[in-house]
Amino acid sequence: MNSALSNEKDMKRTEIVLHSKFQIASVDPRIFGGFLEHMGRAIYQGVYDPESPHADADGCRSDVLDALRRLDMTSMRYPGGNFVSGYHWQDGIGAREKRPTVRELAWRSVETNQFGTDEYIHLCRKMGWMPMLTVNLGTGTPEEARNWVEYCNCPTGTRYADMRDSNGSRQPHAVKLWCLGNEMDGPWQIGHVPADQYAIRARQTGEMMKKVDASIELVAGGSCGINLKTYMDWDQEVLAQLGDLADYISLHRFVDNLNDDTPDYLAVTSAIDAQIEEMDAACRCAQARHRSAKRAYLCFDEWNVWYKNHETDGQGKVAPHLLEEVYNLEDALVVAGFLHSFVRHADVVKIANIAQIVNVLAPIHTRGDDMLIQSIFYPFEMFSKRRNGAALRLTVDGPSYEGATNGCVHYIDASAILDGNRLHVFLTNRAMDENAEVCVTIADKTVVSCESAEILTGPDAKAVNSPEDGETIAAKPFEAIDMKDGQAHCKIPALSFVAMTLNLG
Ligand code: AHR
């Protein structure tokens, strides 16, 4: 395997054919969202670190925020995660010196509450993120959730809105997206209950929240993993009870290469496609049962690679090192695979949040005053800057292989977005050691030129970025795209991801 083209090994050409009228749906920008949890060093020593020489006037790390700006994230889910199931939002507002320091049970850490609702909203405004709050359905009450909506969204004149005003924000925070709890189907979750009990709790809560602000959108908690015994039973029950109230249902997925089988790992995209299609089917079925014009859409509000680091015990510390996963090239290709899948399902996946953004399962890692960009940063950046437009159906005709658990897939994993006269094409070559020759045809148009293209690849599947060796895995300009007969032709090396913007005539 190599970072450049192999001279000997070329596989048979892959033909990708599109048509500008064969559109799936507009890509919802919210699929390029992130997730910021009070966990490990995500907030303290991550985005917020008043002691750091990089701290801005709000105590946020400017180096981290500058890197995050490159990802141009849209929605930002907060404050958890498992954390939220024991969190009381009123602990995190008001004068900082009066906020309680509490024992945090999800990650066995200590939470100082120095960062809370108002700091989060301020950060969202600074970064152009759409706020997305998760309410506590573990130890919280429907009333506590309803009060949070009032604190965030109501004009002054009543108790919680006035509290916001006295904390410095006269104007409402206008939080549109609210998640009804986190992973309540998981036995590890504080306050975990069976589906019917969750559904009652979530319905009561959601109804009260909507009475406070009818314009909010609600995300019901769906199955947090396909391996749980309750997968799909949970979702059917939740959708039966909440399908007419909730606008979205959540999906979570963390993938791994525990078998150390790179081809199969890279084929996991087909399992992600299947998970989306199964949840879509459940939503459609619930809609039919409700005989309703309204359906729930999919909110993939936690997704990423996670398997190498299992440190989840904070041992009673503030900002302990938890889940500081180191990402390699193959992980970055899998992250590209998630994004391919979301684009290909643009008609149903409306929100997605990579979990997470800094230090915990993250594309950015801080160490003291230094910061490292991890491999998974790049596919997100390469997609995100080409996200505007409508996802196109595409046919891939080319060589394929059989993954040990994920079945038969093409070596080339692909997705495409049409933005007026520009076509964004995303290609992953999953082969271990063969170049892939690819021809992109758009049936009703001609490809005139290439506006920009980048490639992400590296010396081998396990190569990582590190403070010592620097950025081995980083996007580089990709110039090897030829226009011939109105088509784009390129040869992409083994184990690489290419994003290109083509001009159409
Ligand atoms: O992202 C880390 C954890 O993963 C979240 O707290 C939880 O929701 C999920 O299991």
Side-chain angles (χ1 to χ4, degrees):
M1 97 196 62
N2 55 14
S3 59
L5 292 174
S6 145
N7 285 333
E8 306 99 53
K9 292 191 159 184
D10 286 359
M11 67 178 88
K12 191 174 153 278
R13 184 158 88 172
T14 296
E15 302 278 351
I16 297 199
V17 181
L18 310 117
H19 190 294
S20 72
K21 297 244 169 4
F22 292 176
Q23 302 190 358
I24 300 167
S26 281
V27 174
D28 194 318
R30 295 175 301 173
I31 66 173
F32 293 92
F35 171 39
L36 179 61
E37 177 167 8
H38 281 260
M39 176 182 181
R41 301 190 307 123
I43 292 182
Y44 310 112
Q45 298 178 25
V47 290
Y48 179 74
D49 194 351
E51 307 298 313
S52 162
H54 299 291
D56 66 12
D58 300 317
C60 292
R61 270 190 75 146
S62 54
D63 56 340
V64 169
L65 299 194
D66 285 345
L68 285 169
R69 274 191 193 95
R70 289 171 53 191
L71 297 179
D72 197 13
M73 286 174 163
T74 48
S75 54
M76 186 57 62
R77 184 167 175 254
Y78 171 86
N82 297 346
F83 168 82
V84 80
S85 296
Y87 180 60
H88 299 291
W89 65 270
Q90 286 196 61
D91 289 348
I93 56 167
R96 281 217 173 90
E97 62 284 5
K98 294 203 177 128
R99 297 186 194 175
T101 292
V102 298
R103 192 168 288 281
E104 191 286 306
L105 300 186
W107 308 113
R108 299 196 189 95
S109 309
V110 163
E111 173 56 52
T112 63
N113 285 303
Q114 292 304 291
F115 190 95
T117 305
D118 296 301
E119 289 80 20
Y120 159 72
I121 294 290
H122 196 69
L123 179 60
C124 286
R125 300 290 173 245
K126 183 154 55 181
M127 296 297 288
W129 295 334
M130 177 184 297
M132 179 176 179
L133 288 173
T134 303
V135 301
N136 173 358
L137 288 194
T139 61
T141 61
E143 189 166 34
E144 184 180 9
R146 163 252 177 264
N147 296 345
W148 206 6
V149 177
E150 182 185 322
Y151 183 87
C152 289
N153 287 6
C154 289
T156 52
T158 53
R159 185 185 348 186
Y160 294 99
D162 287 350
M163 218 181 253
R164 180 194 68 238
D165 186 17
S166 58
N167 290 336
S169 301
R170 184 151 189 84
Q171 291 310 315
H173 292 329
V175 178
K176 180 136 181 109
L177 278 172
W178 294 81
C179 306
L180 295 167
N182 177 71
E183 297 193 345
M184 295 302 295
D185 58 325
W188 57 86
Q189 197 69 211
I190 298 170
H192 159 65
V193 278
D196 55 343
Q197 290 183 37
Y198 165 75
I200 293 168
R201 209 182 272 182
R203 177 146 207 124
Q204 289 169 340
T205 305
E207 279 173 351
M208 285 176 75
M209 292 165 73
K210 281 234 186 196
K211 278 184 186 153
V212 176
D213 180 356
S215 74
I216 61 172
E217 293 191 323
L218 295 175
V219 183
S223 286
C224 65
I226 59 160
N227 295 324
L228 264 80
K229 271 205 313 266
T230 51
Y231 179 63
M232 281 294 122
D233 292 340
W234 173 280
D235 304 280
Q236 287 190 332
E237 176 75 32
V238 167
L239 285 163
Q241 304 287 340
L242 285 153
D244 56 338
L245 179 71
D247 302 279
Y248 309 95
I249 184 160
S250 70
L251 298 79
H252 289 183
R253 185 74 174 257
F254 292 98
V255 299
D256 66 70
N257 188 12
L258 283 169
N259 294 336
D260 197 15
D261 177 344
T262 300
D264 190 40
Y265 181 43
L266 298 180
V268 75
T269 330
S270 64
I272 298 161
D273 288 340
Q275 185 181 356
I276 290 171
E277 287 156 23
E278 284 155 10
M279 189 64 97
D280 180 39
C283 291
R284 298 250 180 189
C285 179
Q287 180 188 16
R289 284 218 180 101
H290 285 120
R291 292 167 178 68
S292 169
K294 177 176 170 177
R295 57 155 296 166
Y297 286 95
L298 277 52
C299 172
F300 219 125
D301 59 19
E302 284 192 44
W303 65 269
N304 205 343
V305 169
W306 168 13
Y307 70 104
K308 300 176 208 105
N309 187 306
H310 290 285
E311 191 51 78
T312 54
D313 184 348
Q315 300 180 354
K317 295 192 187 126
V318 176
H321 288 251
L322 302 181
L323 301 188
E324 300 205 357
E325 187 96 355
V326 174
Y327 291 109
N328 59 28
L329 174 61
E330 63 183 15
D331 300 330
L333 300 181
V334 166
V335 162
F338 271 102
L339 294 167
H340 282 306
S341 184
F342 300 158
V343 169
R344 286 195 292 256
H345 294 91
D347 51 340
V348 293
V349 180
K350 299 297 175 186
I351 306 167
N353 306 76
I354 187 169
Q356 299 191 11
I357 59 172
V358 186
N359 290 331
V360 176
L361 303 172
I364 295 164
H365 192 253
T366 62
R367 192 161 78 173
D369 298 338
D370 297 332
M371 188 195 70
L372 181 76
I373 301 280
Q374 296 225 60
S375 64
I376 62 166
F377 182 96
Y378 289 101
F380 197 103
E381 184 186 38
M382 290 157 79
F383 261 101
S384 186
K385 66 189 192 191
R386 296 181 171 86
R387 67 179 178 225
N388 293 333
L392 291 188
R393 291 192 194 291
L394 40 75
T395 60
V396 177
D397 181 12
S400 55
Y401 69 95
E402 190 74 30
T405 65
N406 288 310
C408 184
V409 295
H410 289 110
Y411 281 100
I412 293 293
D413 198 8
S415 57
I417 299 174
L418 181 69
D419 180 16
N421 263 343
R422 298 154 86 223
L423 176 67
H424 307 301
V425 181
F426 308 95
L427 304 169
T428 306
N429 181 3
R430 302 188 256 213
M432 297 296 289
D433 56 7
E434 283 176 285
N435 306 320
E437 193 187 335
V438 182
C439 170
V440 178
T441 306
I442 177 147
D444 59 333
K445 303 210 176 250
T446 51
V447 181
V448 180
S449 57
C450 178
E451 188 178 299
S452 66
E454 293 108 54
I455 183 166
L456 182 72
T457 189
D460 65 75
K462 309 292 182 194
V464 299
N465 296 344
S466 69
E468 296 71 32
D469 300 328
E471 286 198 33
T472 309
I473 311 297
K476 307 223 162 47
F478 184 62
E479 270 136 25
I481 304 178
D482 298 322
M483 306 306 139
K484 212 165 52 185
D485 303 327
Q487 300 162 314
H489 296 257
C490 59
K491 200 185 266 192
I492 56 180
L495 295 177
S496 64
F497 170 64
V498 169
M500 61 180 84
T501 299
L502 304 171
N503 294 310
L504 304 177

